[in-house]
Amino acid sequence: MDQVFKSGTQSAENPLEFVLSDESVDRMGDIIRAGGWDLTAFKANPIALLGHDHSSIIGVWENVRVEGKKLMGSLKLAREGTSELVDTVRSLIDQRILKSVSVGFQPVEATPRKGGGWDFIKSALHEVSVVAVPANPNALAIAKAMKPEIASKLFVQLDSAAS
């Protein structure tokens, strides 16, 4: 199977702590089982990306772990001043405008779900990206004010999220 991208959310208590994934049914009708995550390769190189763009490194993920039915992790952004991209992402996270993440993973074992979608029983985590939700008008308005090369990395097309 090809690499798959699925979304998660920011913690209400800590802006840099995220639910990277959980066992809820997503918009594609899929479920990722938390107990099936293989984190070995990811933990060897836990780079945080922006919008699944391998050239847009914004930091690293720390304390990536499974807690109950959730995959959790803390984002450690690169130092302020590292790049305009990092500073923009930091500001959007601080303002609670940018608060979503997406896991990129390789399904290892999956079964079709009745009514559509997949039940991903075992999955190998490849990367975790900070992403925006294009339907969010506030985030979109702020992105339009950014340089196009930064704004374009914040928005992942729904088609690529399904592939």
Side-chain angles (χ1 to χ4, degrees), residues 40-137:
T40 308
F42 179 76
K43 285 187 172 186
N45 187 37
I47 296 298
L49 302 174
L50 179 65
H52 300 292
D53 180 348
H54 291 198
S55 67
S56 295
I57 298 168
I58 59 170
V60 294
W61 290 98
E62 297 181 332
N63 195 22
V64 175
R65 72 228 178 256
V66 173
E67 284 185 6
K69 294 185 177 193
K70 296 178 181 178
L71 179 64
M72 305 288 296
S74 297
L75 176 60
K76 179 181 177 187
L77 290 167
R79 284 191 303 253
E80 192 172 341
T82 298
S83 69
E84 183 179 352
L85 176 65
V86 170
D87 292 348
T88 299
V89 170
R90 180 184 307 281
S91 177
L92 289 171
I93 288 173
D94 288 348
Q95 296 174 66
R96 302 287 180 133
I97 293 168
L98 189 53
K99 52 190 171 186
S100 299
V101 294
S102 177
V103 293
F105 66 96
Q106 182 74 39
V108 176
E109 181 182 339
T111 58
R113 293 188 69 237
K114 195 177 233 182
W118 290 92
D119 189 344
F120 295 105
I121 298 162
K122 293 183 181 177
S123 305
L125 185 62
H126 286 188
E127 58 96 1
V128 182
S129 288
V130 173
V131 296
V133 179
N136 182 329

Side-chain angles (χ1 to χ4, degrees), residues 1-44:
M1 290 184 143
D2 293 330
Q3 183 166 325
V4 177
F5 303 105
K6 300 290 176 181
S7 62
T9 59
Q10 186 179 62
S11 162
E13 302 82 39
N14 176 351
L16 298 179
E17 179 77 5
F18 288 81
V19 175
L20 306 178
S21 178
D22 66 15
E23 292 190 6
S24 62
V25 179
D26 66 20
R27 71 176 182 268
M28 310 302 232
D30 299 332
I31 298 173
I32 305 171
R33 300 297 172 185
W37 280 113
D38 178 355
L39 306 176
T40 308
F42 179 76
K43 285 187 172 186

